[in-house]
């Protein structure tokens, strides 16, 4: 069935780049999303990429999509302590609006 | 805009009691979603509405759960009777239209003892 997988934890030093990876199974996905969840809050849309794109850059965020390998990554340049959060990958698996979610990657940033 | 507003933020209740969670979507958004988040299962879509009409409720765990959207600015998720395994964070999200990105509320943390 449809599945989205992410590693559960990532730890980086402040100022380094963070790369959060995600793999998905549904090749018919139209959009792929990255959401951020801070403690006690809801999920906040960070960025998304259309499936016919390979890369999207938005300030410190770079999204790379490899459709052949069904691999999505989020790179955060110059990671700050405020970037500590859980990052969710999700794919839009079609018109029924059932986003398929990963379990989230908890990013810890060490000073 | 104030964003998606959920109430209450926290709810503690005893097993067997009725629980009602409330959501006010962003004005102008036509789609509304109810999600449940737990450590074990992550985010689960319970039900979603488009133009106030339930489109897919296949994620609703069982008959104890029901959701309504009487108008474009209000939705409720009711659990009756509640059980300890219902303890989770319940999120409401809205979207401009069916294929638009979701905007989440801050959630209701439900604890059933």
């Amino acid at each position: 069935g449809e599945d989205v997988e992410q590693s559960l934890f990532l730890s980086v030093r402040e100022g380094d780049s963070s790369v959060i990876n995600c793999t998905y199974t549904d090749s018919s996905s139209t959009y792929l999303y990255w959401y951020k969840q801070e403690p006690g809050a809801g999920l906040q849309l960070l960025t998304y990429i259309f499936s016919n794109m390979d890369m999207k850059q938005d300030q410190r965020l770079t999204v790379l999509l490899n459709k052949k390998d069904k691999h999505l990554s989020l790179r955060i340049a110059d990671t700050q302590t405020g970037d500590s959060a859980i990052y969710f990958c999700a794919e839009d698996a079609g018109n029924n609006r059932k986003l398929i979610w990963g379990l989230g990657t908890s990013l810890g940033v060490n000073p | 805009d104030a964003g998606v507003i959920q109430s209450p933020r926290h709810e503690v209740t005893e097993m067997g009691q009725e629980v009602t969670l409330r959501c006010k979507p962003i004005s102008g958004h036509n789609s509304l979603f109810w999600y449940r988040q737990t450590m074990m299962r992550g985010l689960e879509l319970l039900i979603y509405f488009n133009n106030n009409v339930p489109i897919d409720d296949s994620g609703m765990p069982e008959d104890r759960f029901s959701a309504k959207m009487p108008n474009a600015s209000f939705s409720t998720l009711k659990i009756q009777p509640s059980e300890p395994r219902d303890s989770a964070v319940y999120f409401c999200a809205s979207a401009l239209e069916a294929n638009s990105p979701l905007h989440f509320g801050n959630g209701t943390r439900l604890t059933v003892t």
Side-chain angles (χ1 to χ4, degrees):
Chain A
E2 301 153 334
D3 196 16
V4 173
E5 294 191 353
Q6 308 176 234
S7 53
L8 292 182
F9 300 100
L10 176 65
S11 182
V12 300
R13 288 208 308 196
E14 190 174 13
D16 288 350
S17 291
S18 309
V19 180
I20 303 171
N21 294 301
C22 170
T23 58
Y24 60 97
T25 56
D26 191 337
S27 58
S28 66
S29 296
T30 307
Y31 290 97
L32 293 118
Y33 299 88
W34 284 106
Y35 281 81
K36 176 183 179 183
Q37 184 179 29
E38 295 179 356
L43 282 74
Q44 172 193 3
L45 177 67
L46 270 184
T47 187
Y48 62 96
I49 188 167
F50 190 54
S51 58
N52 68 354
M53 297 170 64
D54 297 324
M55 185 182 87
K56 181 178 179 181
Q57 187 151 5
D58 183 2
Q59 299 181 339
R60 291 191 298 123
L61 305 179
T62 303
V63 179
L64 294 178
L65 175 60
N66 182 329
K67 279 199 75 172
K68 175 176 169 290
D69 295 338
K70 298 191 183 69
H71 182 264
L72 182 73
S73 68
L74 174 69
R75 178 176 180 269
I76 306 173
D78 186 23
T79 312
Q80 303 298 306
T81 54
D83 295 324
S84 295
I86 302 176
Y87 290 81
F88 290 89
C89 169
E91 63 166 336
D92 183 344
N95 291 330
N96 64 4
R97 287 303 292 159
K98 274 193 172 180
L99 288 182
I100 310 299
W101 295 85
L103 289 179
T105 299
S106 179
L107 174 64
V109 182
N110 304 310
Chain B
D1 199 313
V4 176
I5 299 173
Q6 292 187 245
S7 63
R9 285 299 312 273
H10 302 274
E11 177 79 38
V12 180
T13 191
E14 291 183 346
M15 178 176 166
Q17 296 298 306
E18 177 179 296
V19 173
T20 300
L21 311 181
R22 295 172 175 80
C23 175
K24 181 180 188 308
I26 292 173
S27 177
H29 280 196
N30 294 325
S31 297
L32 183 140
F33 305 77
W34 282 101
Y35 279 89
R36 177 171 69 179
Q37 185 180 37
T38 60
M39 289 291 290
M40 292 301 295
R41 293 190 297 272
L43 270 167
E44 301 172 280
L45 177 64
L46 300 177
I47 185 170
Y48 88 91
F49 297 82
N50 201 41
N51 294 319
N52 312 340
V53 176
I55 302 301
D56 184 349
D57 65 354
S58 59
M60 296 286 261
E62 46 201 272
D63 292 346
R64 297 184 298 106
F65 285 68
S66 62
K68 293 182 180 179
M69 192 164 185
N71 58 61
S73 59
F74 184 65
S75 177
T76 59
L77 177 68
K78 187 176 292 187
I79 309 173
Q80 165 65 16
S82 58
E83 296 182 4
R85 60 191 167 119
D86 301 331
S87 297
V89 181
Y90 290 80
F91 286 106
C92 176
S94 70
L96 190 61
E97 53 190 31
N99 294 323
S100 302
L102 302 182
H103 296 259
F104 283 78
N106 284 329
T108 295
R109 181 173 295 276
L110 173 66
T111 304
V112 184
T113 60

